[in-house]
Amino acid sequence: MAGERLRDGYGREISYLRIAVTDKCNFRCVYCMPENGVPPRAHGELLTAEETARFARLVAGEGIRRIRLTGGEPLVSNRLLPLMRAIRAIPEIEDISLTTNGALLPKLAPELKEAGLDRVNISLDTLDPAQFGQITRLGRIEQTMRGIDAALAWGFTPVKVNCVVVRRLHQDVFGLARLSIGRPIHLRFIEYMPIGDEGGRDLVAADAASGESGELRPEQWDASDTVPSAELRERINAAARAAGLSDLEPLEEADAPSGAGPARYWRFPGARGTVGFISAMSNHFCSACNRLRLTADGAVRPCLFSDEEHSVREALRAGDDARVLDIYRAAIAHKPGEHEVIAGTARAMSQIGG
Ligand code: SAM
Ligand code: SF4
């Protein structure tokens, strides 16, 4: 019934939709995108802002309450602002968030504010400028740091900073966690996941710089590259002690930043921000999964880790709302109970909407 939250076959209420606004990006992160970017799309393959907004309106009637706009890099798409304004006008939607690499945030923050954005997650995997260039291939660290400043200055709350940890990149995770001490920044360490195939992941560029290329198997996701969150927290605590700080303290769920989702949060004593861990690999949070994804070309994806997709594009184009909802409900009914640790997915993260 419209307005009620739709539940999947495992009793989970589906209330959170992640929309990939585009699969293009101004960066080419080694764990996410091939060096030359994703293949260009034929005109008309991607949903327009109006079509995506129509989908959002329909599924708001089925219980979606929170929407995240992601990609690819959502800030490079001219569909983003019209889409955000249209979503803001949907009364049932309580929260609009954005995941971005931050490079274009200083320029676009005022318009995003005006369009109704509530909060942002910004990706930052390292504080070392050279390593930042190696990981993102096209990015400069100052851009993302200015993006974080802009997010704080424009009052998007909370500001979360996402860091994907890959063992062979040897990132300074304590340095990143420390950002949470002086400012209200919520660091979230994400376990590296096997998303995309050889076209989607290429750690060779970053690894060549660390001088370990002899051990590389760049076409295959390597489980040893995932650093389990418990190990990571121990690493951060050990570095904190060496620097004369206390260990991270666990936070009650009620004290976690809003939209906490699957992250578990901790805090350095007295810090203004927090440190979260997202353990999709070492500790599945499937039983609490309330999300669905919509790809930029109009496919509903019940699970990040499964290639099963249900396209609503033609039904949207035909103006057949009943059919759109049938497909949406079928996608929810197919949401798996839990995900396997798989060897990869056909689409790269940038194409799914990470
Ligand atoms: N371009 C935006 C950004 O980088 O924030 C939004 C899209 S990006 C695909 C969304 C998130 O997915 C980023 O935080 C990124 O670091 C993360 N991500 C990409 N590939 C990943 C992988 N293989 N494992 C874990 N996280 C990944
Ligand atoms: Fe672009 Fe984000 Fe993927 Fe990096 S993680 S290549 S910024 S979509």
Side-chain angles (χ1 to χ4, degrees):
M1 188 192 300
E4 271 188 18
R5 300 199 182 183
L6 209 55
R7 285 177 186 269
D8 71 4
Y10 298 86
R12 296 170 295 196
E13 278 186 351
I14 307 304
S15 57
Y16 179 30
L17 177 67
R18 296 171 76 103
I19 298 176
V21 181
T22 176
D23 53 12
K24 290 204 192 115
C25 189
N26 47 354
F27 288 6
R28 300 275 186 280
C29 300
V30 287
Y31 50 70
C32 175
M33 272 220 180
E35 188 157 13
N36 298 322
V38 292
R41 305 294 205 126
H43 182 69
E45 238 185 289
L46 300 187
L47 295 186
T48 62
E50 293 73 26
E51 288 162 351
T52 310
R54 185 180 189 89
F55 179 78
R57 270 193 296 278
L58 287 171
V59 299
E62 300 284 298
I64 292 294
R65 295 291 173 266
R66 300 194 294 133
I67 292 185
R68 174 169 298 279
L69 299 169
T70 178
E73 175 48 46
L75 296 185
V76 302
S77 169
N78 54 19
R79 289 185 293 277
L80 177 67
L81 288 167
L83 174 60
M84 197 177 283
R85 289 190 195 103
I87 292 174
R88 187 75 287 172
I90 303 172
E92 293 94 336
I93 300 301
E94 295 159 3
D95 180 62
I96 306 177
S97 54
L98 176 79
T99 304
T100 170
N101 61 35
L104 294 171
L105 255 188
K107 181 169 159 233
L108 291 173
E111 285 170 277
L112 291 165
K113 192 79 189 171
E114 170 272 324
L117 177 64
D118 292 308
R119 57 199 183 87
V120 293
N121 290 8
I122 300 169
S123 297
L124 173 70
D125 297 326
T126 176
L127 292 176
D128 174 353
Q131 190 179 43
F132 188 93
Q134 286 150 10
I135 293 176
T136 63
R137 292 197 183 101
L138 299 180
R140 281 179 299 110
I141 195 165
E142 311 83 73
Q143 300 173 296
T144 294
M145 296 310 275
R146 278 194 224 112
I148 294 173
D149 293 342
L152 289 167
W154 281 89
F156 298 113
T157 313
V159 173
K160 297 180 185 169
V161 170
N162 287 345
C163 169
V164 176
V165 180
V166 181
R167 193 180 297 277
R168 77 182 102 162
L169 295 182
H170 308 290
Q171 294 135 291
D172 173 12
V173 285
F174 171 58
L176 286 157
R178 256 186 131 139
L179 293 179
S180 69
I181 295 180
R183 297 202 286 175
I185 291 175
H186 304 279
L187 248 297
R188 295 158 11 117
F189 293 102
I190 300 173
E191 290 178 351
Y192 173 48
M193 299 180 286
I195 304 298
D197 59 10
E198 69 279 4
R201 289 191 308 274
D202 178 6
L203 285 169
V204 105
D207 204 72
S210 73
E212 292 177 7
S213 46
E215 298 300 313
L216 265 186
R217 287 183 288 146
E219 292 82 29
Q220 294 162 10
W221 174 82
D222 186 334
S224 67
D225 267 328
T226 297
V227 184
S229 295
E231 177 188 334
L232 195 60
R233 205 174 59 244
E234 213 15 77
R235 244 167 77 186
I236 293 171
N237 280 336
R241 275 175 242 135
L245 296 177
S246 303
D247 283 14
L248 289 165
E249 294 172 341
L251 276 188
E252 296 298 324
E253 221 168 283
D255 296 329
S258 69
R264 306 234 167 94
Y265 282 91
W266 303 68
R267 194 202 303 266
F268 286 118
R272 295 182 67 195
T274 62
V275 179
F277 297 87
I278 301 183
S279 321
M281 302 303 294
S282 67
N283 181 9
H284 297 185
F285 35 77
C286 305
S287 63
C289 182
N290 61 353
R291 59 186 60 183
L292 278 192
R293 289 178 160 78
L294 179 70
T295 64
D297 57 0
V300 180
R301 251 182 110 99
C303 174
L304 174 63
F305 290 89
S306 158
D307 282 327
E308 181 175 329
E309 295 184 347
H310 302 251
S311 178
V312 288
R313 188 176 62 196
E314 299 321 317
L316 279 169
R317 290 198 173 152
D320 189 344
D321 291 351
R323 174 100 189 105
V324 172
L325 285 174
D326 280 349
I327 297 168
Y328 174 75
R329 290 175 188 138
I332 288 184
H334 281 87
K335 207 168 148 53
E338 62 180 60
H339 67 74
E340 306 283 333
V341 174
I342 43 147
T345 54
R347 297 206 206 209
M349 191 68 130
S350 56
Q351 296 171 306
I352 297 170

